[in-house]
Amino acid sequence: MSFSLRDKNAILFDMDGVLYDSMPNHSKAWSLAMERYGMHMSPHDVYMNEGATGHDTVVRISLRDRGFEARQREIDDIYGYKASLFRSMPEACVMPGAQDVFRKAAAAGLKILIVTGSGQKNLIERVQKDFEGFITRDRMVTAFEVKRGKPYPDPYLKGLEIAGVPATEAVVIENAPLGIRAAVAAGIDTIAVNTGPLEDEILLAEHPVLLMHSMQELADRLETLL
Ligand code: MG
């Protein structure tokens, strides 16, 4: 496949599982929170739902496990509890290679944005320090900026709007099936980085232009793509 970044002017990064090795913490937090409300979320379930808003995730699992839609108040309770569990866990590491990718993308003149379904305020704050000089809050689309989360294209369409480029001039870096689906639905070429336990085939089924296995691999291959 001869995919190139030569005609690209913006690079849009997902956050969890791309910039931070935060998915193991999310997985534990979701599992414990759902357990308390009589539902079950396996690590596979968490990774398959990654990228969706907390609201949509609770609705989906409630329908599956209990056969009815959770009410707004319960959704708020569950997601609030999940978020508090997540905050109490050891800080997730910056994904090895991620800062290297940012440096090389910035040097190539690409506009850098983050497009995340996350509503974790602490991580949204922290990313601006860990990637200082490359990202500011006004270059981020989070759970607070859109009504419909991934896999709807809305977050990525909002990202394009902020970047001021058409879909054809952007590239997305995503690790989650629903995230890739959202970016592809927005018409953006997407590089999948499989940093979790899912089979490559699950990510490839969402039609990324390339698939890699770490941010370090992306950093190492970036020059040849530019
Ligand atoms: Mg992710």
Side-chain angles (χ1 to χ4, degrees):
M1 207 184 291
S2 63
F3 173 73
S4 160
L5 294 173
R6 227 163 298 137
D7 302 322
K8 305 300 184 192
N9 289 311
I11 185 163
L12 282 53
F13 292 90
D14 171 48
M15 186 169 73
D16 290 289
V18 168
L19 304 182
Y20 289 103
D21 191 11
S22 46
M23 284 308 294
N25 285 354
H26 281 296
S27 182
K28 268 181 238 143
W30 269 122
S31 164
L32 289 167
M34 291 302 224
E35 212 75 50
R36 185 192 245 193
Y37 291 83
M39 292 176 270
H40 177 71
M41 238 181 139
S42 68
H44 185 266
D45 290 334
V46 174
Y47 282 88
M48 288 304 286
N49 281 282
E50 187 195 343
T53 60
H55 176 279
D56 291 352
T57 301
V58 174
V59 167
R60 202 170 299 130
I61 300 296
S62 177
L63 276 172
R64 186 196 67 184
D65 286 7
R66 307 188 300 184
F68 60 88
E69 201 161 308
R71 283 176 308 163
Q72 189 57 48
R73 188 161 162 193
E74 192 187 24
I75 294 169
D76 291 343
D77 287 349
I78 297 173
Y79 187 61
Y81 182 47
K82 183 262 168 182
S84 76
L85 286 168
F86 180 79
R87 280 194 301 275
S88 74
M89 289 175 178
E91 233 179 34
C93 299
V94 171
M95 199 64 94
Q99 283 156 330
D100 208 8
V101 172
F102 267 52
R103 268 192 297 275
K104 290 180 179 179
L110 292 169
K111 284 183 194 171
I112 295 175
L113 280 88
I114 293 175
V115 179
T116 175
S118 178
Q120 294 283 351
K121 289 185 176 141
N122 52 333
L123 210 49
I124 293 169
E125 283 299 312
R126 194 185 144 198
V127 73
Q128 298 169 65
K129 296 194 185 81
D130 289 334
F131 294 84
E132 202 178 356
F134 300 111
I135 197 78
T136 46
R137 184 65 183 83
D138 59 339
R139 292 287 182 100
M140 292 178 73
V141 179
T142 73
F144 303 109
E145 272 74 44
V146 287
K147 282 205 182 69
R148 296 193 311 175
K150 304 170 187 177
Y152 290 104
D154 305 28
Y156 281 109
L157 292 174
K158 182 84 185 161
L160 291 175
E161 186 190 318
I162 293 171
V165 303
T168 49
E169 290 178 19
V171 62
V172 163
I173 313 300
E174 261 286 357
N175 72 307
L178 296 186
I180 301 169
R181 194 180 302 171
V184 170
I188 310 173
D189 287 337
T190 302
I191 298 177
V193 183
N194 191 3
T195 60
L198 296 179
E199 310 263 330
D200 284 351
E201 284 65 32
I202 295 177
L203 274 70
L204 289 169
E206 304 295 342
H207 311 294
V209 288
L210 287 174
L211 182 128
M212 301 192 192
H213 294 94
S214 69
M215 287 299 276
Q216 193 58 59
E217 183 185 350
L218 176 59
D220 295 342
R221 290 178 62 184
L222 209 56
E223 276 105 345
T224 61
L225 293 172
L226 286 162

